[in-house]
Amino acid sequence: MSAYANVHIALEQMRVRALSKARGSPLPPGEDADPKLCEAPRVLILGPENAGKTTVAKILTNYAVRGGQIWTPLLANVDPSEGAWAIPGTLSVTPVSTAIPTYSPASPLGFAATSAPLVSASHQHVPLAYWYGHSDTKRNPLLLDRLIRNLGENINDKFDLNPEAKAAGIIVDTPASFASNSTPAEHRQKLIKACVDAFRKTMAPSSALPVGAARAVSEMQPVRVNAASPGSGLLNAVLAVLAPPNPDENERYDEEILDLTVTGFIYMWVDTLSAGMGAAEG
């Protein structure tokens, strides 16, 4: 715990410097004014299975919100096998302003609201989530890379709107496959680099690209599934309900569905009374 406390103190010093920079106020006496040292903390936690990555992420987050400085750090989870703030198969992030509750198998990071809560309680977090749809990072690494970058872009948009909130920083929990020798080195390195790039803001917005240029959006092609087909694979499946597409037709593109955030989930089962397929939404 002393090691975690030392890391927390170092992160607190970064937060204070970043907040002073955001407000244009002088740094505390004895602090280095180097702009490179005034960046908000961005922590990427790597380690093998059962190494305690999620525990460390939660400890550092709880230290921050309990420190008396009214910090609201972002806690992101890019491990689709956990689901963290939502359900397995998702990548998610949420701002944390109160201590995270005790671990439970159903919710490693506490209690998340997968649908809008009627009454906002201190232990409820409404996350921003993207749908990957698998628990194994090797199933579709191109899609996982894309979703990680989408998550980072959303976070950076939030920080641009609220520089003072940015000072609290972000802590990112990663899957064990990012540090496992059983995963090909090239696969691990690409996804780790995606995290570093996404959460350090190296992805240029469309407005900053050269005239006529656009981001590459051809990594994969969404496939329409016929729910009535016996081979659809939807039985006993969990489906994600996505946010509406861009209302401006000129801003839409073929793979936009891959970049939409999750607004809810649907579980598909067999309705024995009507001999048909039913669904439950959450």
Coordinates of all heavy atoms in Angstrom, one line a residue, residues 150-182:
N150 N -12.0 5.6 -30.4 CA -13.2 6.3 -30.3 C -13.4 6.7 -28.9 O -13.9 7.9 -28.6 CB -14.4 5.4 -30.7 CG -14.5 5.3 -32.2 OD1 -13.9 6.1 -33.0 ND2 -15.3 4.3 -32.7
L151 N -13.1 5.8 -27.9 CA -13.3 6.2 -26.5 C -12.4 7.3 -26.2 O -12.8 8.3 -25.5 CB -12.9 4.9 -25.7 CG -13.4 4.9 -24.2 CD1 -14.9 4.9 -24.1 CD2 -12.8 3.7 -23.5
G152 N -11.1 7.3 -26.6 CA -10.2 8.4 -26.4 C -10.6 9.7 -27.0 O -10.5 10.7 -26.4
E153 N -11.2 9.6 -28.2 CA -11.6 10.9 -28.8 C -12.8 11.5 -28.0 O -12.8 12.7 -27.9 CB -12.1 10.6 -30.3 CG -12.3 11.8 -31.1 CD -12.5 11.5 -32.5 OE1 -12.6 10.3 -32.9 OE2 -12.6 12.5 -33.3
N154 N -13.7 10.7 -27.5 CA -14.8 11.2 -26.7 C -14.3 11.9 -25.4 O -14.7 12.9 -25.0 CB -15.8 10.1 -26.4 CG -17.0 10.0 -27.3 OD1 -17.9 10.8 -27.1 ND2 -16.9 9.1 -28.2
I155 N -13.3 11.2 -24.8 CA -12.7 11.7 -23.6 C -12.0 13.1 -23.9 O -12.2 14.0 -23.1 CB -11.7 10.7 -23.0 CG1 -12.5 9.5 -22.5 CG2 -10.8 11.4 -21.9 CD1 -11.6 8.4 -22.1
N156 N -11.3 13.2 -24.9 CA -10.6 14.4 -25.3 C -11.6 15.5 -25.6 O -11.3 16.7 -25.3 CB -9.6 14.1 -26.4 CG -8.4 13.3 -26.0 OD1 -7.8 13.5 -24.9 ND2 -8.0 12.3 -26.8
D157 N -12.7 15.2 -26.3 CA -13.7 16.2 -26.5 C -14.3 16.7 -25.2 O -14.5 17.9 -25.1 CB -14.9 15.6 -27.3 CG -14.5 15.3 -28.8 OD1 -13.5 15.9 -29.2 OD2 -15.2 14.6 -29.4
K158 N -14.4 15.8 -24.2 CA -14.9 16.3 -22.9 C -13.9 17.2 -22.2 O -14.2 18.3 -21.7 CB -15.2 15.1 -22.0 CG -15.5 15.4 -20.5 CD -15.6 14.1 -19.7 CE -15.7 14.5 -18.2 NZ -16.8 15.3 -17.9
F159 N -12.6 16.8 -22.3 CA -11.6 17.7 -21.7 C -11.5 19.0 -22.4 O -11.2 20.0 -21.8 CB -10.2 16.9 -21.8 CG -10.1 15.8 -20.8 CD1 -9.1 14.8 -21.0 CD2 -10.9 15.7 -19.7 CE1 -9.0 13.8 -20.1 CE2 -10.8 14.7 -18.8 CZ -9.8 13.7 -19.0
D160 N -11.7 19.1 -23.7 CA -11.6 20.4 -24.4 C -12.7 21.3 -23.9 O -12.5 22.5 -23.9 CB -11.8 20.1 -25.9 CG -10.5 19.5 -26.6 OD1 -9.5 19.6 -25.9 OD2 -10.6 19.0 -27.7
L161 N -13.9 20.7 -23.6 CA -15.0 21.6 -23.1 C -14.8 22.0 -21.7 O -15.4 23.0 -21.2 CB -16.3 20.8 -23.3 CG -16.7 20.5 -24.7 CD1 -18.0 19.6 -24.7 CD2 -17.1 21.8 -25.4
N162 N -14.0 21.3 -20.9 CA -13.8 21.6 -19.5 C -12.4 21.3 -19.1 O -12.1 20.2 -18.5 CB -14.8 20.7 -18.6 CG -14.9 21.1 -17.2 OD1 -14.0 21.9 -16.7 ND2 -15.9 20.7 -16.5
P163 N -11.5 22.3 -19.3 CA -10.1 22.1 -19.0 C -9.8 21.8 -17.6 O -8.9 21.1 -17.2 CB -9.5 23.4 -19.5 CG -10.4 24.0 -20.5 CD -11.8 23.5 -20.0
E164 N -10.6 22.4 -16.7 CA -10.4 22.2 -15.2 C -10.7 20.7 -14.9 O -10.0 20.1 -14.0 CB -11.2 23.1 -14.4 CG -10.8 24.6 -14.5 CD -11.4 25.5 -13.4 OE1 -12.0 24.9 -12.5 OE2 -11.2 26.7 -13.5
A165 N -11.7 20.1 -15.5 CA -12.0 18.7 -15.3 C -10.9 17.8 -15.8 O -10.6 16.8 -15.2 CB -13.3 18.3 -15.9
K166 N -10.2 18.3 -16.8 CA -9.1 17.5 -17.4 C -8.0 17.3 -16.4 O -7.3 16.3 -16.4 CB -8.6 18.2 -18.6 CG -7.4 17.6 -19.3 CD -6.9 18.4 -20.5 CE -5.7 17.8 -21.1 NZ -5.3 18.5 -22.3
A167 N -7.8 18.3 -15.4 CA -6.8 18.2 -14.5 C -6.8 17.0 -13.6 O -5.8 16.5 -13.1 CB -6.8 19.5 -13.6
A168 N -8.0 16.5 -13.4 CA -8.2 15.3 -12.5 C -7.6 14.0 -13.2 O -7.2 13.1 -12.5 CB -9.6 15.0 -12.2
G169 N -7.5 14.1 -14.5 CA -6.8 13.0 -15.3 C -7.7 11.8 -15.5 O -8.9 11.8 -15.3
I170 N -7.0 10.7 -16.0 CA -7.7 9.5 -16.4 C -6.9 8.3 -16.0 O -5.7 8.3 -16.1 CB -8.1 9.5 -17.9 CG1 -8.8 8.2 -18.3 CG2 -6.8 9.7 -18.8 CD1 -9.3 8.1 -19.7
I171 N -7.5 7.3 -15.5 CA -6.9 6.0 -15.2 C -7.5 4.9 -16.1 O -8.7 4.8 -16.2 CB -7.1 5.6 -13.7 CG1 -6.4 6.7 -12.9 CG2 -6.5 4.2 -13.4 CD1 -6.7 6.6 -11.4
V172 N -6.7 4.1 -16.8 CA -7.2 3.2 -17.8 C -6.8 1.8 -17.3 O -5.6 1.4 -17.2 CB -6.6 3.5 -19.2 CG1 -7.2 2.5 -20.2 CG2 -6.9 4.9 -19.6
D173 N -7.8 0.9 -17.2 CA -7.6 -0.5 -16.8 C -7.6 -1.3 -18.1 O -8.5 -1.1 -19.0 CB -8.7 -0.9 -15.9 CG -8.5 -2.3 -15.3 OD1 -7.4 -2.9 -15.5 OD2 -9.5 -2.9 -14.7
T174 N -6.6 -2.2 -18.3 CA -6.5 -2.9 -19.6 C -6.7 -4.4 -19.4 O -6.6 -4.9 -18.2 CB -5.1 -2.7 -20.2 OG1 -4.1 -3.2 -19.3 CG2 -4.9 -1.2 -20.4
P175 N -6.9 -5.2 -20.4 CA -7.1 -6.6 -20.3 C -5.7 -7.3 -20.1 O -4.7 -6.8 -20.5 CB -7.7 -7.1 -21.6 CG -7.3 -6.0 -22.6 CD -7.3 -4.7 -21.8
A176 N -5.8 -8.5 -19.5 CA -4.5 -9.3 -19.3 C -3.8 -9.6 -20.6 O -2.6 -9.8 -20.6 CB -4.9 -10.6 -18.5
S177 N -4.5 -9.7 -21.7 CA -3.9 -10.1 -23.0 C -2.9 -9.1 -23.4 O -2.0 -9.4 -24.2 CB -5.0 -10.3 -24.0 OG -5.7 -9.1 -24.2
F178 N -3.0 -7.8 -22.9 CA -2.1 -6.8 -23.3 C -0.7 -7.1 -22.7 O 0.3 -6.5 -23.2 CB -2.5 -5.4 -22.8 CG -3.6 -4.8 -23.6 CD1 -4.4 -5.5 -24.5 CD2 -3.8 -3.4 -23.5 CE1 -5.4 -5.0 -25.2 CE2 -4.8 -2.8 -24.3 CZ -5.6 -3.6 -25.1
A179 N -0.6 -8.0 -21.7 CA 0.7 -8.2 -21.1 C 1.0 -9.7 -21.1 O 1.9 -10.2 -20.3 CB 0.7 -7.7 -19.7
S180 N 0.2 -10.5 -21.8 CA 0.4 -12.0 -21.8 C 1.3 -12.5 -22.9 O 1.1 -12.1 -24.0 CB -1.0 -12.6 -21.9 OG -0.9 -14.0 -22.0
N181 N 2.2 -13.4 -22.5 CA 3.0 -14.0 -23.6 C 2.3 -14.9 -24.5 O 2.8 -15.3 -25.6 CB 4.2 -14.8 -22.9 CG 5.1 -13.9 -22.2 OD1 5.4 -12.7 -22.6 ND2 5.8 -14.4 -21.1
S182 N 1.1 -15.3 -24.1 CA 0.3 -16.2 -25.0 C -0.4 -15.4 -26.1 O -0.9 -16.0 -27.1 CB -0.9 -16.8 -24.2 OG -1.7 -15.9 -23.6

